Amino acid sequence: MSGETSTHDAERTDRSVADGTDRTGFVPAFGQYFPESLVGAVLLAGLALVATAPFLEPLTQLEVFATGFYDLFALQMFVILFWVLSAAVVEAPRVGAVLDRVADALPTSQRGIVFSTAVLSLALGWVNWALGLIAGVLVGQRLCRRARAEGTAVHYPLVLTGALLSLVVANQGLSSPGALLMADGSGVANVVAEDAGSVSMSSFVLHPVNLVSTAVFVVTLPLLLVWLAPSEESEIEPLEERNRVLEGSIAETLSHYSPARDREDWRLGDRLENSRLISLATVAVGLASAGWHFGTGGALTLPWLAFALVVLGLLVQGPPMAFREKTEDATRWANHVAIPFLLYASVVALLTEADLYGPIGDAIASTGVPGAASYVVAVVLGLLVPDPASVWVLQGPALAAADVDLVVSLIATMYGAGVSNLWLAFLFAGILSIRGFDWREFATYAAIVTLYVSVVVLGLLLVF
């Protein structure tokens, strides 16, 4: 069957080249808008080697750097699954059909599109990063296309900014990678914060700083973008064909699978691979297992989230082969985690071996406002580390070593990682190449959003 699948993939590639698009589907096309993190990981590793040089012998440095990833290898697998399975669930025709209906119900004025795209992205991003980001981009592009057909000019860069706002709150909600790491008291949390115990998801999600800030941002950040929107009298650069990700409807754009053989030629293996009954039976078993776990007081942790995403992925993708193909496509989302995480783990090993996490934690605690200090450190660190889970893996041990409130520090760190991702999504994703959207415009949008988010988050951290 693998040969048949390869033939199918080749046929898809040939079609894309023939029609001039030179892409094999939604994920490869959208992948050009996502940051490349290996350069940042190499730079961070170099800084760690320099910082630990006074405390470690060269051979010890080399040994720790070369073998440090072993301690966090199991954790890396779950982080990769978090990215891949989240995308596999969202990038499904059934999800696209729902988003099409949502887009049809939204207004097509410029301010209406900017506001509704931002609200949708923020609200869905709180549930899951992929749901907020992908839904925001695709719904925004569909609304821009409708507006253009109706003769309404819409400044697309601002719409795209609204979609990217999901990154600000994506780490604060039900699938926060940092909170999920700390919710696992059986081992994962101990790797990140030894002897610190675990932090329950409820204490994280329902913390006043988290609840209030998220509610404020979902309402006010879209209004901020509307305020930044150019007037209707000004010259507006619309969505260009070269920047288009959407093909047809959203459901059609997310439709990625067609069997390699015609139904008439199916063999037993083809029928099993494309049997929706097998998927439904697997979903039923998975739901029963999850129901038993959570019904008996089990916690939501990163492994259990990955399990739930597998069940949801099979449910929305349909045939088992469609889910398999989508997970293969979705591995592109994990490119910035797979290799860079090995370097992140080596950095953790170096700092641990050099006993530097204690002094770093003491320095953060000595500021008197460790939550605010954690936020600032995460913003800076996040510019080199796009994966929020990895930001917490790198920063968490220092906070655990200090006598600080881990929940507040975790909230601050996750917000810092989100703000950094907002900048990275522009700077490294090629978005500055969009016509009509130069670096000065980006700097204006990103700086204003960053300043506003920082004032709200730091203010709430001081109050609570």
Side-chain angles (χ1 to χ4, degrees):
M1 298 307 296
S2 60
E4 295 164 1
T5 303
S6 300
T7 302
H8 169 57
D9 293 339
E11 290 173 352
R12 288 203 302 160
T13 303
D14 292 341
R15 286 198 301 270
S16 67
V17 173
D19 64 17
T21 59
D22 194 25
R23 55 192 180 191
T24 59
F26 165 71
V27 174
F30 196 57
Q32 64 183 318
Y33 292 94
F34 212 67
E36 172 61 53
S37 62
L38 185 56
V39 174
V42 171
L43 179 59
L44 182 64
L47 292 175
L49 286 170
V50 172
T52 57
F55 306 96
L56 300 176
E57 295 291 334
L59 287 179
T60 302
Q61 272 192 306
L62 181 61
E63 179 185 1
V64 172
F65 185 81
T67 62
F69 69 91
Y70 283 112
D71 289 337
L72 295 177
F73 188 73
L75 175 59
Q76 182 194 21
M77 296 299 101
F78 284 116
V79 172
I80 291 175
L81 285 174
F82 170 74
W83 285 93
V84 171
L85 294 174
S86 294
V89 172
V90 176
E91 294 163 11
R94 293 177 180 178
V95 175
V98 174
L99 296 178
D100 280 322
R101 295 189 183 95
V102 171
D104 290 339
L106 296 176
T108 53
S109 64
Q110 174 173 260
R111 292 186 175 183
I113 291 176
V114 170
F115 181 81
S116 58
T117 299
V119 170
L120 182 71
S121 299
L122 286 162
L124 295 182
W126 185 85
V127 177
N128 180 266
W129 73 268
L131 189 59
L133 180 60
I134 296 171
V137 170
L138 294 182
V139 169
Q141 289 210 355
R142 172 150 184 171
L143 291 173
C144 287
R145 191 176 63 189
R146 277 181 52 205
R148 190 170 188 174
E150 297 170 4
T152 302
V154 179
H155 188 53
Y156 176 67
L158 198 57
V159 178
L160 181 59
T161 304
L164 291 170
L165 286 182
S166 64
L167 299 171
V168 175
V169 299
N171 307 316
Q172 310 306 131
L174 299 178
S175 59
S176 168
L180 288 167
L181 289 176
M182 292 304 295
D184 186 354
S186 63
V188 174
N190 293 332
V191 172
V192 180
E194 188 174 0
D195 299 327
S198 61
V199 173
S200 68
M201 285 296 295
S202 59
S203 63
F204 171 81
V205 173
L206 301 179
H207 194 280
V209 173
N210 223 350
L211 284 179
V212 174
S213 60
T214 301
V216 168
F217 289 145
V218 170
V219 175
T220 59
L221 278 177
L223 293 175
L224 181 63
L225 292 190
V226 170
W227 176 68
L228 293 172
S231 64
E232 296 181 358
E233 291 77 19
S234 61
E235 184 177 348
I236 296 176
E237 291 284 350
L239 172 64
E240 296 282 348
E241 183 70 16
R242 65 192 289 271
N243 303 316
R244 178 178 57 84
V245 173
L246 192 66
E247 297 180 0
S249 66
I250 299 177
E252 291 170 341
T253 300
L254 296 179
S255 180
H256 60 91
Y257 175 71
S258 57
R261 293 173 177 267
D262 293 332
R263 287 181 176 269
E264 293 77 10
D265 299 327
W266 276 6
R267 300 173 183 173
L268 177 60
D270 298 308
R271 297 185 184 280
L272 292 175
E273 288 177 344
N274 293 280
S275 172
R276 296 179 184 273
L277 289 177
I278 291 180
S279 292
L280 290 176
T282 305
V283 168
V285 173
L287 290 176
S289 300
W292 178 266
H293 173 74
F294 295 114
T296 55
L300 176 61
T301 61
L302 196 56
W304 270 102
L305 176 68
F307 177 79
L309 289 174
V310 170
V311 174
L312 289 175
L314 285 168
L315 181 64
V316 298
Q317 292 291 351
M321 201 62 179
F323 177 67
R324 186 213 65 82
E325 184 173 291
K326 176 48 61 181
T327 55
E328 179 182 337
D329 258 359
T331 54
R332 295 172 183 267
W333 288 99
N335 285 342
H336 70 295
V337 177
I339 301 302
F341 191 93
L342 301 179
L343 294 174
Y344 303 151
S346 295
V347 171
V348 172
L350 284 170
L351 295 178
T352 301
E353 184 70 19
D355 293 326
L356 288 179
Y357 270 125
I360 294 173
D362 292 339
I364 292 175
S366 67
T367 61
V369 281
S374 300
Y375 172 81
V376 174
V377 171
V379 170
V380 177
L381 180 61
L383 294 175
L384 295 175
V385 184
D387 173 38
S390 298
V391 172
W392 180 248
V393 168
L394 288 160
Q395 190 169 333
L399 299 171
D403 186 18
V404 299
D405 187 330
L406 268 185
V407 178
V408 172
S409 298
L410 179 60
I411 292 170
T413 302
M414 290 295 95
Y415 261 126
V419 169
S420 296
N421 266 326
L422 180 64
W423 286 86
L424 290 173
F426 284 98
L427 292 176
F428 293 94
I431 290 178
L432 291 181
S433 66
I434 291 179
R435 292 174 183 171
F437 194 32
D438 60 25
W439 69 270
R440 289 163 295 186
E441 187 175 18
F442 155 69
T444 300
Y445 294 162
I448 291 176
V449 169
T450 300
L451 178 62
Y452 175 70
V453 170
S454 299
V455 168
V456 173
V457 171
L458 294 177
L460 289 173
L461 288 172
L462 292 174
V463 171
F464 292 99

